[in-house]
């Protein structure tokens, strides 16, 4: 076989070198310098010295693994999870919470300063419980023919293999205690080889399980699942595809999962997106309401509104609120919840905010304040329209600091001021960085 030379192909020097980490990145990797090159090293904390071996080398940076740690930081702690280092779900359980929070806030501040030229503090942070915060989790399912075993768990870092999860201390305890018995139950099903994944969700009125299956589930398997549901007081839903659900617990009546936010009751479908961290969500909504300074005469626009997590609490205080969302099921949930909570001043639109919005019906209306909560890709398609609306205040909730910094420039160039930024500790022990920013005209 002919092999062609690639000028980008670089051989990696596998020799062992000694380095000292001087910082962390948002993913929890130690950052060290060696011969003028930045090296990223998983598992190494600032101030720690280690012998490391390069695993990847680029022109500007390299990656390495720890061969032997020579010193320990006072901010190194013992991970609570027995699967840490194998499971790819958490990357930072070895770092003290105060170091994690400080690092993420610093990364956010750096990105905003680099992209906008504005130096601003991301403090005070909206804090989370260190463990037991996750009220929703999706676990993969893989059947191993050789062992005759179904593995239920999260993916290992940088592989498609699953770690067989028996404990997960970042989950709410009500969900964590289901892991072992649920794994045993699913392993005993006749359809075990044809299961896709399972989702555990904790609503305010109880836990539920959504089982994705790739083949029909026969009567005998359904009876086993019903027995599990009765024994562990959960509601089980079967998802034969991404749209249809079959509830397996008819004896409990018409179960509707719901959660509360700002005193309102929000009913959701088991497949609807809800914020994973309830405590941070409550604080985040309260902060948004405070920043918007909602008044009885306000007309407020909520873009990428989901099922109304912000929209409905805003509607309690404003004259009128319009929510725009691209997922039809979430729009339906928002409309249902508006009626449920007696809010008649809310209008939801199902529109694609990544397409040309000029002809969308909501775009012809006027608003004096705007909130937006886009996905990781950000909100490039709507920023110019927000500027045209000329709202007094804009609150931007972000799950990606890079796109937040990028979109901020549109508002700043239009004469808005970046008043405040806060880092949200939505996902402790992970590299996910959530934030929110307030702009004023």
């Amino acid at each position: 076989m002919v092999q062609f030379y690639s000028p980008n192909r670089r051989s990696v020097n596998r020799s062992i070198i000694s380095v000292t980490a001087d910082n962390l990145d948002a993913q929890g990797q130690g950052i060290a310098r060696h011969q003028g090159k930045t090296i990223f090293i998983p598992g190494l904390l600032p101030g720690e010295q280690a012998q490391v071996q390069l695993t990847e080398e680029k022109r500007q940076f390299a990656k390495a693994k720890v061969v032997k740690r020579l010193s320990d930081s006072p901010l190194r702690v013992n991970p609570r999870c027995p699967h840490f280092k194998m499971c790819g779900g958490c990357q930072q359980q070895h770092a003290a919470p105060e170091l994690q929070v400080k690092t993420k806030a610093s990364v956010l501040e750096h990105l905003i300063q680099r992209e906008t030229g504005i130096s601003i503090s991301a403090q005070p942070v909206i804090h989370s419980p260190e463990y037991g915060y996750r009220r929703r989790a999706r676990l993969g399912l893989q059947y191993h023919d050789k062992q005759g075993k179904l593995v239920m768990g999260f993916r290992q870092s940088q592989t498609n293999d699953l770690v067989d999860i028996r404990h997960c201390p970042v989950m709410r305890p009500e969900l964590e205690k289901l892991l072992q018995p649920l794994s045993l139950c699913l392993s005993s099903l006749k359809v075990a080889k044809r299961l896709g994944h399972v989702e555990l969700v904790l609503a305010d009125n109880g836990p539920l399980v959504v089982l994705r299956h790739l083949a029909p589930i026969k009567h005998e398997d359904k009876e086993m699942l019903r027995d599990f549901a009765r024994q562990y007081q959960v509601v089980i839903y079967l998802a034969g595809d991404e749209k249809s659900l079959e509830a397996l617990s008819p004896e409990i009546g018409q179960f509707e999962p719901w959660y509360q936010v700002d005193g309102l009751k929000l009913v959701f479908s088991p497949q609807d997106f809800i914020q994973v961290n309830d405590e941070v969500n409550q604080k985040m909504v309260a902060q948004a309401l405070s920043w918007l300074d909602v008044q009885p005469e306000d007309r407020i626009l909520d873009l990428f509104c989901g099922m109304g997590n912000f929209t409905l609490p805003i509607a309690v205080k404003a004259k009128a609120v319009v929510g725009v969302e691209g997922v039809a099921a979430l729009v339906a949930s928002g409309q249902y919840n508006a009626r449920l909570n007696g809010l008649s001043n809310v209008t939801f639109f199902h529109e694609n905010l990544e397409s040309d919005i000029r002809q969308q019906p909501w775009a012809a209306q006027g608003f004096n304040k705007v909130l937006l909560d886009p996905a990781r890709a950000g909100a490039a398609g709507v920023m110019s329209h927000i500027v045209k609306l000329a709202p007094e205040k804009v609150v931007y909730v972000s799950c990606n600091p890079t796109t937040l910094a990028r979109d901020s420039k549109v508002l700043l160039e239009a004469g808005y001021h970046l008043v405040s930024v806060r880092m949200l500790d939505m996902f402790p022990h992970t590299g996910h960085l959530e934030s929110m920013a307030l702009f004023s005209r």
Side-chain angles (χ1 to χ4, degrees):
M1 183 176 68
V2 178
Q3 289 187 335
F4 295 94
Y5 169 73
S6 169
N8 295 321
R9 186 179 294 158
R10 302 175 65 88
S11 60
V12 179
N13 182 357
R14 300 289 181 179
S15 61
I16 294 174
I17 58 176
S18 292
V19 298
T20 301
D22 56 20
N23 210 339
L24 276 186
D25 70 359
Q27 302 301 316
Q29 298 180 112
I31 302 175
R33 272 82 183 176
H34 182 73
Q35 296 181 349
K37 182 172 288 188
T38 300
I39 305 177
F40 296 95
I41 311 156
L44 201 62
L45 298 180
E48 293 183 337
Q49 186 180 16
Q51 293 178 339
V52 304
Q53 185 177 51
L54 297 188
T55 57
E56 183 179 344
E57 190 167 9
K58 303 289 187 181
R59 189 177 301 276
Q60 300 295 333
F61 69 92
K63 296 181 180 180
K65 64 179 181 180
V66 174
V67 175
K68 183 179 182 180
R69 195 169 65 248
L70 303 175
S71 63
D72 284 348
S73 164
L75 294 176
R76 177 173 289 277
V77 297
N78 291 323
R80 189 179 296 184
C81 180
H83 306 294
F84 183 67
K85 290 188 178 179
M86 289 186 62
C87 175
C90 293
Q91 302 84 41
Q92 302 184 30
Q93 286 193 22
H94 65 297
E98 58 267 31
L99 176 59
Q100 295 183 36
V101 168
K102 179 182 176 183
T103 299
K104 290 182 182 180
S106 176
V107 168
L108 177 60
E109 292 164 4
H110 171 74
L111 279 170
I112 290 176
Q113 200 281 331
R114 187 186 71 186
E115 294 296 319
T116 68
I118 295 175
S119 179
I120 191 167
S121 172
Q123 304 282 352
V125 167
I126 292 181
H127 286 278
S128 164
E130 183 182 350
Y131 287 98
Y133 65 83
R134 179 176 276 276
R135 65 176 172 182
R136 182 172 205 137
R138 174 183 286 196
L139 297 104
L141 297 169
Q142 289 178 347
Y143 192 87
H144 295 266
D145 284 306
K146 288 184 178 179
Q147 295 88 4
K149 178 184 178 184
L150 181 73
V151 174
M152 183 180 83
F154 299 116
R155 299 196 185 281
Q156 294 183 31
S157 179
Q158 300 180 339
T159 78
N160 287 323
D161 295 329
L162 295 180
V163 179
D164 199 5
I165 296 294
R166 301 297 178 177
H167 301 279
C168 183
V170 298
M171 283 189 193
R172 290 284 295 269
E174 299 95 324
L175 299 182
E176 187 190 18
K177 72 179 184 180
L178 295 175
L179 289 175
Q180 295 194 46
L182 179 60
S183 179
L184 289 172
C185 175
L186 298 181
S187 296
S188 64
L189 299 180
K190 295 285 195 302
V191 77
K193 295 182 181 181
R194 300 286 289 151
L195 298 177
H197 61 256
V198 62
E199 288 189 73
L200 305 180
V201 185
L202 183 63
D204 283 7
N205 54 333
L208 52 120
V209 174
V210 181
L211 180 61
R212 176 80 168 94
H213 55 97
L214 308 176
I217 295 185
K218 302 294 179 59
H219 176 76
E220 183 181 347
D221 281 351
K222 287 185 179 181
E223 286 304 307
M224 292 183 68
L225 289 168
R226 286 191 181 99
D227 288 342
F228 178 89
R230 280 189 287 266
Q231 182 177 353
Y232 292 95
Q233 294 294 294
V234 301
V235 181
I236 295 181
Y237 294 87
L238 301 181
D241 55 48
E242 295 296 333
K243 295 181 180 179
S244 65
L245 284 177
E246 176 189 354
L248 275 188
S249 307
E251 66 272 11
I252 66 167
Q254 198 66 24
F255 180 83
E256 288 187 322
W258 54 268
Y259 72 92
Q260 284 191 316
V261 60
D262 202 47
L264 301 176
K265 179 180 178 180
L266 272 64
V267 172
F268 62 94
S269 162
Q271 293 177 307
D272 282 349
F273 169 81
I274 62 171
Q275 291 289 354
V276 161
N277 190 322
D278 177 53
E279 185 166 325
V280 171
N281 184 54
Q282 302 289 340
K283 296 175 182 177
M284 178 176 68
V285 171
Q287 180 66 85
L289 293 172
S290 173
W291 275 355
L292 286 170
D293 186 26
V294 184
Q295 299 298 318
E297 67 277 8
D298 286 340
R299 283 184 50 81
I300 299 179
L301 175 64
D302 182 5
L303 297 172
F304 310 94
C305 68
M307 56 181 282
N309 187 60
F310 291 101
T311 326
L312 300 179
I314 290 171
V316 173
K317 301 180 178 182
K319 178 180 181 180
V321 186
V322 167
V324 188
E325 167 57 44
V327 179
L330 293 177
V331 171
S333 292
Q335 292 168 333
Y336 178 85
N337 285 310
R339 294 191 298 271
L340 182 68
N341 289 280
L343 298 170
S344 59
N345 59 338
V346 187
T347 306
F348 286 93
F349 289 92
H350 174 218
E351 299 288 349
N352 181 4
L353 290 171
E354 295 177 357
S355 65
D356 185 355
I357 65 173
R358 289 173 295 180
Q359 303 305 315
Q360 295 179 10
W362 65 269
Q365 302 183 28
F367 306 92
N368 66 313
K369 295 173 183 176
V370 173
L371 182 141
L372 64 159
D373 183 10
R376 292 189 59 80
V382 300
M383 297 310 297
S384 61
H385 188 74
I386 292 174
V387 169
K388 289 179 183 177
L389 290 172
E392 304 160 24
K393 297 175 184 290
V394 177
V395 172
Y396 191 131
V397 181
S398 169
C399 60
N400 184 348
T402 302
T403 50
L404 167 64
R406 179 201 69 194
D407 294 342
S408 295
K409 290 191 284 188
V410 179
L411 294 172
L412 296 171
E413 289 166 2
Y416 281 81
H417 298 282
L418 179 55
V419 178
S420 189
V421 175
R422 295 194 73 174
M423 199 282 282
L424 312 174
D425 193 21
M426 184 75 79
F427 299 96
H429 310 302
T430 78
H432 295 292
L433 201 167
E434 307 264 333
S435 59
M436 56 196 304
L438 169 64
F439 300 86
S440 181
R441 191 179 63 198

